[in-house]
Amino acid sequence: MLIPPPSLLIVHTPLFFTKNTIPTVVVCTLWVLLLSGCANEQQIEKNPVSGYEQMKDSIQAIYNRTNFTKSIYENDRRVELIEAQLAQSGTPDMVFNFARELLNSGRTEDAINAIGHIFNQFPEAAEVSAQSKMFHEFLAICYLRLAEQNNCLHHHSAQSCIVPLQGKGIHVERDPALRARDKYLQILAVFPEDYQSMWLLNIAFMALGEYPDQVPGKFLIPLDIHADLNSWPNIADHLGLGVNDLSGGVATGDFNNNGYIDLIATSWGFGGRVRYFENHGSKGFIEKTRESGLHQAVGGLNIKQADFNNDGHLDFIILRGAWKPDWDWGILPNSLIRNNGDGTFSDVTFESGMYSVRPTQSAEWVDYNLDGHVDLIIANETTSNSRQPFPIELYKNKGDGTFTEIAAEKKIKLSGYFKGVVSGDFNNNGYPDIFISNLDGPNLLLQNGGTKDQRSFTNVAREANVELPHAAFPAWFFDYNQDGWEDLYVASFDPTAFLNQSGEFAKDMLGLTTDTESGKLYKNTKDGRFEDATAGAFQYSALSTMGANYGDINNSGFPDFYLGTGAPDFRAVVPNRLFENQYGEKFIDQTFEKNVGHIQKGHGIAFADFNNNGFQDIYAVMGGAFQGDVFHNTLFVNPCNPNPWIKLELIGVHSNKSGLGARIIVEGTDFENNPIVRYSKISSGASFGANPLIAHIGLEGFQQIEEVKILWPFKENREYQTYRGFDLNKSYLITETGEIDEKPANSFDYSDLTPFQLHCNT
């Protein structure tokens, strides 16, 4: 079977047909994304130019030799190439491929005109049939995408593209949604069990303000809706954080040390950017990208922050090349960005010894040997079509601003289609272990063993029962049942995510059996193994996920999580999902209750208390993979709740400066003087998105705090240290040597910046 580049709409073989025939549709598999092509690593000599210039030169050289007939995400260039071919020979299959590239590049009206040309040339294709269905699906999604562009983008509001569409989310320019509605009704008249078209029909009715009452009963996809429209309002645009761009990552933390959580967001591609926003309290966020020097940086799909040189200022890594390990344009270097402590950042990739050319979107900062300096493990992507393997990299921090790569020495020079890497101490021996998710094969669980001074890793995924899901993507360690042992969640992203994500969502909402490979909730059994607890914990199974992170939205002390959904396919119009932890017993879907079901795809996710009021908000990077699939990022603000909390920020002395990897126990008494305990750690959270390196611990049921115990990440002291003198609803700085300082609250509610009522009435 011939496998062409996939489109954002439908993945098909090329169309070969004559004037008197209709093409036969042959649907290809997931692996159309895995085209051939790669590049060898290059050694770039240092020049007397900035690190940013060196990195740009390196990336530009790779871009210049890219074969854009294979690099399916450079749609503007591909439009040019096909347009030149059309001038020579305008075959129908070339016209259809041209229409797909036009849609992918954002030229939706031109795509509609191109498909109309095929209908004019072949009138028999104008009737919906098995042979012509893909043309009609294509035209329908073009209309729906045009409706989004004309309304969700051009008439953007805080309620745009949050399902069920309500208020200002209803489309002002109705014609494209009307055309999409009518086209989906035509398709469903012939294919009544096409659940993907059925869900997209419901979206069209929502856009017109006619959902659910006017949706034909047999095609209605009901949503469990009880939410106030502004229950968790999206205030990103009001704060200057509504970046309108492609998919990317997010890192949160106090990058300028002014007491507020700042934010760095990226977008991917050769033209991708890094945007830096400083939090100035009640005045909102101020973009400092140019002043900081970060306008010189090329973006990436993911970023992760840490203080790698222990100077008290957060640095970060930009990760590039994801999804493209088989094309020249996918073999890209990452960038190590140093915070200079004066409001500026520098690219120090070359001088740090961290320059390498490999495809990835996932890395984890972790002090694997507990020597007081954070190291970096990078999970690269290798497919069955890759010309060479791209194994895991482990960069050991030498403590002088430089790193050395030691993966082979530690026997973890392993290859796979690795999509996520996270650390956790699953066996409670005080040393961080590593989990790596694999999109095409068994996952890895690298157990940290050996002597105090000579750490080594062993893959125990099979023995620990965590090799599934087979098509795994984001992952994270968290103690979901609060028993003191870290559990694991591994999300899936199987072929249905690429080809039929909307259809699978529709079936899930209707209570029908889905074909999606389920994600896995692994409960730690405290004996070196995990138990699959998924079935009893979730009502839904079609949860294909890209970005994700966890936090505690109601300060119960039991972590909740938010899933970023979607796929390159424009038909993947499914809501991001919020799941609330029911005291370690199960997770309930609060997506529509909290009004956070955004349908414009979710990538980097971060939970953070941006306004210092003790309640975690959720920031999500939106936008897709193809050049025309841009959208505004979102910030859902938490309206608060009555439960108490404590926030702990650590300052390492012997340990790494941020206390990254520290384990925390908060002990207290409830209102009947019974003992009560909560467990936490210092971590950026899940593998795609980065929370602040602060322990935000919900304390529902606590009357008072008796003591806080901390296992600092330093090899010379492997016992919990005990600290006392804490109050509920306060933030503290704890230094490893014993000093405790209360941090000023400096809380605010954004009331002067948004039209929403954000006052906390608890």
Side-chain angles (χ1 to χ4, degrees), residues 74-122:
E74 296 298 312
N75 307 108
D76 291 341
R77 293 293 301 274
R78 288 169 63 83
V79 165
E80 294 174 2
L81 292 172
I82 298 176
E83 197 165 26
Q85 295 170 353
L86 280 171
Q88 303 296 322
S89 174
T91 61
D93 54 312
M94 193 176 295
V95 173
F96 186 67
N97 288 335
F98 184 54
R100 294 189 300 179
E101 289 302 330
L102 289 168
L103 174 64
N104 297 350
S105 65
R107 295 169 57 182
T108 309
E109 290 183 287
D110 290 339
I112 292 171
N113 292 333
I115 202 70
H117 176 76
I118 294 178
F119 283 153
N120 290 334
Q121 189 174 2
F122 301 97

Side-chain angles (χ1 to χ4, degrees), residues 86 237 268 528 740:
L86 280 171
D237 288 337
W268 85 329
I740 302 173

Side-chain angles (χ1 to χ4, degrees), residues 1-204:
M1 180 174 72
L2 296 174
I3 301 179
S7 81
L8 274 181
L9 166 64
I10 307 170
V11 186
H12 290 298
T13 56
L15 310 177
F16 300 98
F17 56 101
T18 66
K19 191 171 184 179
N20 297 318
T21 62
I22 300 297
T24 300
V25 181
V26 183
V27 180
C28 74
T29 66
L30 163 68
W31 309 119
V32 296
L33 287 170
L34 312 180
L35 307 178
S36 61
C38 63
N40 294 325
E41 294 188 17
Q42 300 178 338
Q43 296 299 321
I44 306 293
E45 295 183 1
K46 289 185 179 180
N47 296 312
V49 296
S50 76
Y52 290 119
E53 291 178 88
Q54 286 182 279
M55 184 57 65
K56 278 188 175 179
D57 289 345
S58 173
I59 294 174
Q60 181 72 63
I62 297 170
Y63 186 80
N64 289 343
R65 66 170 180 264
T66 297
N67 180 349
F68 290 103
T69 62
K70 294 182 178 180
S71 182
I72 66 171
Y73 298 111
E74 296 298 312
N75 307 108
D76 291 341
R77 293 293 301 274
R78 288 169 63 83
V79 165
E80 294 174 2
L81 292 172
I82 298 176
E83 197 165 26
Q85 295 170 353
L86 280 171
Q88 303 296 322
S89 174
T91 61
D93 54 312
M94 193 176 295
V95 173
F96 186 67
N97 288 335
F98 184 54
R100 294 189 300 179
E101 289 302 330
L102 289 168
L103 174 64
N104 297 350
S105 65
R107 295 169 57 182
T108 309
E109 290 183 287
D110 290 339
I112 292 171
N113 292 333
I115 202 70
H117 176 76
I118 294 178
F119 283 153
N120 290 334
Q121 189 174 2
F122 301 97
E124 61 271 34
E127 296 295 324
V128 179
S129 67
Q131 290 75 30
S132 67
K133 183 172 184 276
M134 68 175 180
F135 297 117
H136 295 274
E137 285 186 284
F138 181 84
L139 187 56
I141 200 61
C142 282
Y143 287 139
L144 200 57
R145 179 56 182 167
L146 185 61
E148 292 172 343
Q149 289 173 312
N150 289 357
N151 292 275
C152 298
L153 287 171
H154 299 163
H155 294 281
H156 184 69
S157 78
Q159 293 151 7
S160 292
C161 282
I162 298 173
V163 295
L165 304 180
Q166 304 174 74
K168 292 184 179 180
I170 304 298
H171 289 191
V172 175
E173 298 184 28
R174 293 170 55 84
D175 184 67
L178 283 167
R179 292 176 181 269
R181 181 198 66 184
D182 293 345
K183 181 55 64 176
Y184 282 120
L185 286 172
Q186 289 179 21
I187 294 170
L188 289 164
V190 181
F191 301 96
E193 294 187 355
D194 178 353
Y195 292 100
Q196 183 154 249
S197 293
M198 193 181 301
W199 169 244
L200 297 173
L201 173 70
N202 280 255
I203 293 290

Side-chain angles (χ1 to χ4, degrees), residues 324-446:
K324 300 171 285 189
D326 305 323
W327 312 312
D328 290 344
W329 184 222
I331 316 304
L332 292 170
N334 305 313
S335 283
L336 178 62
I337 306 296
R338 183 186 66 210
N339 186 337
N340 299 319
D342 59 359
T344 68
F345 295 82
S346 298
D347 188 320
V348 296
T349 311
F350 294 89
E351 64 188 78
S352 70
M354 202 176 278
Y355 179 83
S356 72
V357 187
R358 302 183 184 188
T360 187
Q361 72 173 56
S362 196
E364 179 81 330
W365 293 101
V366 55
D367 185 1
Y368 83 92
N369 57 358
L370 303 186
D371 66 351
H373 304 283
V374 291
D375 314 295
L376 184 71
I377 184 165
I378 302 176
N380 294 302
E381 300 181 7
T382 303
T383 75
S384 58
N385 292 330
S386 296
R387 297 178 189 173
Q388 67 183 71
F390 300 105
I392 295 167
E393 297 169 279
L394 176 60
Y395 287 94
K396 181 180 179 181
N397 192 331
K398 296 162 67 175
D400 59 0
T402 67
F403 295 79
T404 183
E405 207 284 305
I406 60 168
E409 175 188 327
K410 297 302 176 184
K411 298 184 173 34
I412 57 172
K413 200 174 180 69
L414 306 171
S415 301
Y417 203 169
F418 299 138
K419 297 302 293 184
V421 53
V422 287
S423 62
D425 181 11
F426 81 93
N427 54 6
N428 275 0
N429 71 348
Y431 283 87
D433 311 297
I434 305 294
F435 178 84
I436 298 177
S437 64
N438 192 344
L439 191 68
D440 185 24
N443 304 316
L444 307 179
L445 179 59
L446 304 178

